[in-house]
Amino acid sequence: MGERHADTRSRIQDVALELFTEHGYEATSLREIAERLGVTKAALYYHFKTKEDIVASFMEDRVAALEEIVAWGRTQPKTDATRREVLHRYAELLARSNSHRVMRFLERNQTALRGHPRSERIRDIMFLVIDLLSDRGDPLPVRLKSTLAIFAMHATWFIDPDPTAYTDEERSKSALQIALELLDSAHAERADPASR
Amino acid sequence: MGERHADTRSRIQDVALELFTEHGYEATSLREIAERLGVTKAALYYHFKTKEDIVASFMEDRVAALEEIVAWGRTQPKTDATRREVLHRYAELLARSNSHRVMRFLERNQTALRGHPRSERIRDIMFLVIDLLSDRGDPLPVRLKSTLAIFAMHATWFIDPDPTAYTDEERSKSALQIALELLDSAHAERADPASR
DNA sequence: GTCTATAGCGCGATAGAC
DNA sequence: GTCTATCGCGCTATAGAC
């Protein structure tokens, strides 16, 4: 079944991502990662200069993909259609193979990764994505709903009523649906605040 | 300004909660907490048996308050009015002095606190609260919206478009409003799935 | 109730053989 | 590319004086 012996570097990344996410970045020692792979700590240091370097390697692609969405959004007019397309693109990104695993790792280790340049960069970009969905000067409920639209897509992957009951595709579709509803609700509110 | 020298035990709890939340549980050493308070590590051990014990002390009241909501909910008929009242009570709980600080600490340190009995208990109770909002057998979007209704109230406190721009009361009110909308939307969907 | 001093451990990281 | 061996550090926690 599955691929026997992918290269060691990838196997380190895979195991590290799992353990950092499940047990926490600080709580996971390089010894644990090495043991799980059947090698020694020293072997890890051949492939990665430091523990933080393993983390950085997860994020290279994520940063680029997120920046691409922001760059595109900024060239577009600030319309409902643009905002909905931002959510579609974000959902697509999350559905890509490892993307939601990396985002979950980041979310669960926010504090431990403080000061880590790559993870702070992703945090900043998330705010720029939210700024595509509403303006900084918009009323609180509009800003909150915009934030929650993104957040909802993460949560749908992360918080799991029953991990086995639904397929990834169902999950991804529901996530986007809910995010779009939150976005619509935010801008309906902005257009007509008295109705609420 | 403010209270000079509250008792040391409370000051330890206050500083620990702040540092555990901002820098992470594992990343915060007892030395840092002691230094911030102008005492030595050994003094902390007079007030708390272990580092984990400090964490446990945060949670005592939280567990009791959450269990109260679940116990109440289970005596009620499963109606829209009951579900809305659950959210109202949850919002009230979060608004109480330290409650959202503790929940934020828990959220940011989920992984580090794995295996800590009190924090796993809170996690379990959160699922019981969600079960007051929808049934385990409900369709995925209904379950997700129920989960997000609770999640939204946390996020409103935690994810902060601009920390200074709004009062706690505005924030609390908006949070509840959004949660209620998600709940309504969940059950409108359940009643009429074809409409979506 | 707070101190000084230290035990004991596991961590991240490195050197150098194979 | 992986190993054995080891360094130096900072951590949680404890003992015992004041």
Side-chain angles (χ1 to χ4, degrees):
Chain A
M1 11 215 87
E3 334 199 337
R4 258 3 134 60
H5 68 266
D7 58 306
T8 304
R9 192 186 148 91
S10 308
R11 292 174 65 231
I12 294 170
Q13 288 176 315
D14 197 59
V15 169
L17 182 54
E18 185 189 328
L19 292 180
F20 290 165
T21 303
E22 294 308 317
H23 305 151
Y25 173 72
E26 302 264 7
T28 303
S29 69
L30 297 180
R31 183 189 48 77
E32 288 177 275
I33 297 171
E35 259 171 25
R36 172 90 67 116
L37 289 167
V39 298
T40 64
K41 274 196 295 175
L44 306 189
Y45 280 97
Y46 173 79
H47 297 279
F48 297 95
K49 237 177 57 209
T50 65
K51 190 183 181 184
E52 287 209 340
D53 238 55
I54 302 177
V55 171
S57 78
F58 299 155
M59 314 228 234
E60 253 141 46
D61 299 342
R62 296 308 91 221
V63 171
L66 285 169
E67 279 175 341
E68 205 177 293
I69 291 177
V70 171
W72 174 85
R74 287 179 164 176
T75 67
Q76 300 304 115
K78 292 188 172 184
T79 62
D80 282 347
T82 299
R83 289 186 282 263
R84 293 173 66 90
E85 178 62 18
V86 168
L87 291 188
H88 274 93
R89 289 181 182 216
Y90 194 85
E92 233 171 62
L93 173 59
L94 270 188
R96 289 222 282 273
S97 69
N98 252 2
S99 193
H100 63 272
R101 290 181 71 211
V102 174
M103 293 306 287
R104 170 157 54 182
F105 157 73
L106 284 171
E107 189 172 282
R108 291 209 186 160
N109 290 280
Q110 288 176 59
T111 56
L113 294 174
R114 253 190 162 229
H116 193 291
R118 283 272 209 324
S119 86
E120 305 227 308
R121 179 86 192 104
I122 288 191
R123 197 187 145 82
D124 290 345
I125 300 176
M126 294 305 304
F127 283 110
L128 298 181
V129 173
I130 292 165
D131 287 342
L132 295 176
L133 303 180
S134 60
D135 292 328
R136 301 230 162 173
D138 283 333
L140 180 59
V142 177
R143 287 299 277 169
L144 287 175
K145 282 176 183 170
S146 305
T147 307
L148 283 171
I150 296 292
F151 213 47
M153 287 194 282
H154 294 178
T156 302
W157 286 100
F158 303 167
I159 299 194
D160 222 312
D162 178 353
T164 62
Y166 313 98
T167 67
D168 280 1
E169 211 184 317
E170 287 174 310
R171 216 171 271 282
S172 176
K173 208 182 135 199
S174 286
L176 177 57
Q177 182 62 45
I178 295 171
L180 287 169
E181 284 177 34
L182 276 164
L183 181 67
D184 287 348
S185 159
H187 288 279
E189 177 146 26
R190 194 171 59 164
D192 179 17
S195 80
R196 307 249 154 212
Chain B
M1 12 224 80
E3 334 201 336
R4 263 357 138 58
H5 69 268
D7 58 305
T8 304
R9 191 186 148 92
S10 308
R11 293 173 64 230
I12 294 170
Q13 287 177 315
D14 197 59
V15 169
L17 181 54
E18 186 189 327
L19 292 179
F20 289 166
T21 303
E22 294 308 317
H23 306 151
Y25 172 72
E26 302 265 7
T28 303
S29 70
L30 297 181
R31 182 189 50 75
E32 289 177 275
I33 297 171
E35 259 170 27
R36 172 91 67 117
L37 289 167
V39 297
T40 63
K41 278 194 292 175
L44 306 188
Y45 279 98
Y46 172 80
H47 296 279
F48 296 95
K49 238 177 55 210
T50 65
K51 188 183 181 184
E52 287 210 339
D53 238 55
I54 302 177
V55 171
S57 78
F58 300 154
M59 314 227 236
E60 252 141 46
D61 298 343
R62 297 305 93 220
V63 171
L66 286 170
E67 279 176 340
E68 205 176 294
I69 291 177
V70 171
W72 175 83
R74 287 180 163 172
T75 66
Q76 300 304 116
K78 293 186 172 183
T79 61
D80 281 347
T82 297
R83 289 186 282 263
R84 293 175 65 91
E85 177 63 18
V86 167
L87 290 187
H88 273 94
R89 289 181 181 216
Y90 194 85
E92 233 170 63
L93 174 59
L94 271 188
R96 289 221 283 273
S97 69
N98 251 4
S99 192
H100 63 271
R101 291 181 71 209
V102 174
M103 293 306 286
R104 170 157 53 183
F105 157 73
L106 285 170
E107 189 173 282
R108 292 210 186 157
N109 290 280
Q110 290 174 59
T111 55
L113 295 174
R114 254 189 162 231
H116 192 292
R118 283 272 209 326
S119 85
E120 305 227 307
R121 179 86 192 103
I122 288 191
R123 198 186 144 83
D124 290 346
I125 300 176
M126 294 306 304
F127 282 109
L128 297 180
V129 173
I130 292 165
D131 287 342
L132 296 175
L133 302 180
S134 60
D135 292 327
R136 302 230 161 170
D138 282 333
L140 178 60
V142 177
R143 287 299 275 170
L144 286 175
K145 283 177 183 170
S146 306
T147 307
L148 283 170
I150 296 291
F151 214 47
M153 287 194 281
H154 293 178
T156 301
W157 286 100
F158 303 167
I159 299 192
D160 223 311
D162 177 352
T164 63
Y166 313 98
T167 66
D168 280 3
E169 211 183 318
E170 286 174 310
R171 216 171 271 282
S172 176
K173 208 183 137 196
S174 286
L176 177 57
Q177 182 62 46
I178 294 171
L180 287 169
E181 283 176 34
L182 277 163
L183 181 67
D184 286 348
S185 159
H187 288 279
E189 177 147 26
R190 194 169 61 164
D192 181 16
S195 80
R196 309 245 155 212

